[in-house]
Amino acid sequence: MTAIGKTWIGVIAGATLLLAACGGGDPQVSGSSSVRPTNTSTAPISVATPSPAPGVVPGGPPTITSVGGRPSSAPTTAQPPAAATGTVVLRTVTLSGIPVPGVPVHLSLQQPCDPSSNDIPVGETAETLRRDGVTDDQGRAAFVTEIGCYRFGMTAPAGTNPVPEGMHTLFLVTPGSTATGQLRFQDTPREPASACTESTIETELGVDPGPAATIADCDGQWGVIRWNTPGDNQRVITRTSGTWATYVIFPHNTCWSSASADGVPARLRGYFNC
């Protein structure tokens, strides 16, 4: 009995101590809940990580960036504008307007110079571009070239008589326009009809008049003649200073470029090589 009594005393003492410990916490405020408030946790907010800028591909389109919420193209390197051009036509004619074909002509751009002034200051410009050509059957040579101030001229073929007119200039002012320059020759006195006769040609050439001749072409200035004898004896002849002279005897190696520069008319082109 004594042991049981001590046991109960110990249980009671332990319960008393436990109650004292529970009552020693924070006192409850009148009207408050005995349940302690709990913290409400919110789902975490996702923060977007900026994507790296796309790489620039050489030769590809420019990278698009955003400026103030608006798309903006990356700056590009500006290409210089193409030079404005027009057309220059050079004509080679006689004083009476007859075309002179096969004349080498040239065109020379002079800078610095304002074409709208219609003047090339002497001694203040230099040639920066040169174009060369040969006039066609109509005595014309055309060049597509840039706007500017030009000098032009020619190399007169042998047997011609150019008019001494000094320095030639022209001005190409407006893009797409055409400017014309003219180079002139003296009119050649018309030869008498007898100039193209067989006897006249043979006498002036100093050849044997015996064999019969065929005159394939003759305008009093240029001609083609051959004789009815074995072998190739055809020749192109030209009349200078009032008498016939041999230009080439067949066979020959004269190129047309050389012949045209010498004044051979275009109608005789088939008698030349190259």
Side-chain angles (χ1 to χ4, degrees), residues 116-139:
S116 63
S117 68
N118 285 331
D119 177 62
I120 300 178
V122 178
E124 298 180 17
T125 64
E127 179 183 281
T128 59
L129 175 70
R130 180 184 171 100
R131 299 187 185 279
D132 295 89
V134 177
T135 56
D136 60 14
D137 292 350
Q138 301 302 313

Side-chain angles (χ1 to χ4, degrees), residues 90-95 97-105 134-141 154 156-157 160-161 183-188 260 263-266:
L90 298 184
R91 300 183 64 233
T92 49
V93 296
T94 66
L95 290 174
I98 299 173
V100 180
V103 180
V105 294
V134 177
T135 56
D136 60 14
D137 292 350
Q138 301 302 313
R140 293 164 53 92
M154 66 177 172
T160 61
N161 188 10
L183 298 158
R184 302 189 299 170
F185 295 83
Q186 301 287 354
D187 283 288
T188 302
S260 62
V264 178

Side-chain angles (χ1 to χ4, degrees), residues 188-200:
T188 302
R190 185 176 297 276
E191 294 290 336
S194 61
C196 286
T197 63
E198 179 180 350
S199 61
T200 299

Side-chain angles (χ1 to χ4, degrees), residues 36-257:
R36 298 172 69 86
T38 59
N39 292 327
T40 303
S41 90
T42 338
I45 300 175
S46 175
V47 179
T49 303
S51 300
V56 178
V57 179
T63 302
I64 305 300
T65 58
S66 177
V67 178
R70 299 185 302 274
S72 173
S73 298
T76 57
T77 303
Q79 297 296 324
T85 61
T87 302
V88 170
V89 176
L90 298 184
R91 300 183 64 233
T92 49
V93 296
T94 66
L95 290 174
S96 62
I98 299 173
V100 180
V103 180
V105 294
H106 61 268
L107 191 63
S108 173
L109 176 63
Q110 302 290 312
Q111 291 181 333
C113 181
D114 179 7
S116 63
S117 68
N118 285 331
D119 177 62
I120 300 178
V122 178
E124 298 180 17
T125 64
E127 179 183 281
T128 59
L129 175 70
R130 180 184 171 100
R131 299 187 185 279
D132 295 89
V134 177
T135 56
D136 60 14
D137 292 350
Q138 301 302 313
R140 293 164 53 92
F143 305 88
V144 176
T145 189
E146 63 187 76
I147 299 301
C149 308
Y150 289 88
R151 299 191 191 280
F152 64 96
M154 66 177 172
T155 301
T160 61
N161 188 10
V163 176
E165 295 179 305
M167 195 172 294
H168 295 81
T169 61
L170 61 80
F171 303 91
L172 196 56
V173 180
T174 307
S177 63
T178 298
T180 302
Q182 189 166 265
L183 298 158
R184 302 189 299 170
F185 295 83
Q186 301 287 354
D187 283 288
T188 302
R190 185 176 297 276
E191 294 290 336
S194 61
C196 286
T197 63
E198 179 180 350
S199 61
T200 299
I201 293 174
E202 290 177 336
T203 298
E204 293 179 359
L205 289 179
V207 299
D208 182 3
T214 299
I215 301 172
D217 187 292
C218 184
D219 64 358
Q221 291 299 315
W222 291 88
V224 178
I225 187 172
R226 62 179 178 269
W227 288 269
N228 300 331
T229 57
D232 193 352
N233 54 46
Q234 181 169 257
R235 63 179 72 184
V236 174
I237 57 177
T238 183
R239 190 171 177 81
T240 58
S241 302
T243 187
W244 285 107
T246 298
Y247 180 69
V248 292
I249 297 177
F250 292 77
H252 66 83
N253 295 318
T254 303
C255 289
W256 171 246
S257 57

